[in-house]
Amino acid sequence: MACAHAADAPPAPGPATACEDCLRTGGQWVHLRRCLTCDHVGCCDSSPHRHATAHAGATAHPVVASAEPREHWAWCYPDSALLLPASQL
């Protein structure tokens, strides 16, 4: 599914190593997500604090991408849409 929010988003710059918010609070993460609006790295919804979703809600930044190695997908919060590269469709 295409979404207008992803059209303006730059490609994700690649893997990340830590959730910025978990580092500040001493939390732990499961997987990492990168905001395509401001490059904030937060933890996924399987993590205890769900920082990526919290960031999207607080900022209205619509699209996150996986910041995990070898994962190439994004999620649009407003459209509840999984966004895959054309090569994976």
Side-chain angles (χ1 to χ4, degrees):
M1 173 183 209
C3 84
H5 305 102
D8 294 331
T17 57
C19 172
E20 298 168 9
D21 300 306
C22 284
L23 287 176
R24 275 194 298 280
T25 63
Q28 293 187 338
W29 58 90
V30 177
H31 297 287
L32 299 171
R33 309 293 179 241
R34 186 183 301 275
C35 175
L36 294 186
T37 301
C38 70
D39 209 33
H40 174 270
V41 175
C43 54
C44 70
D45 286 355
S46 295
S47 301
H49 298 290
R50 302 172 56 171
H51 287 124
T53 297
H55 173 78
T59 62
H61 292 169
V63 181
V64 295
S66 174
E68 295 294 319
R70 298 173 298 284
E71 289 188 6
H72 305 285
W73 58 268
W75 177 257
C76 176
Y77 285 103
D79 293 333
S80 295
L82 178 64
L83 309 169
L84 298 170
S87 62
Q88 292 185 11
L89 297 177

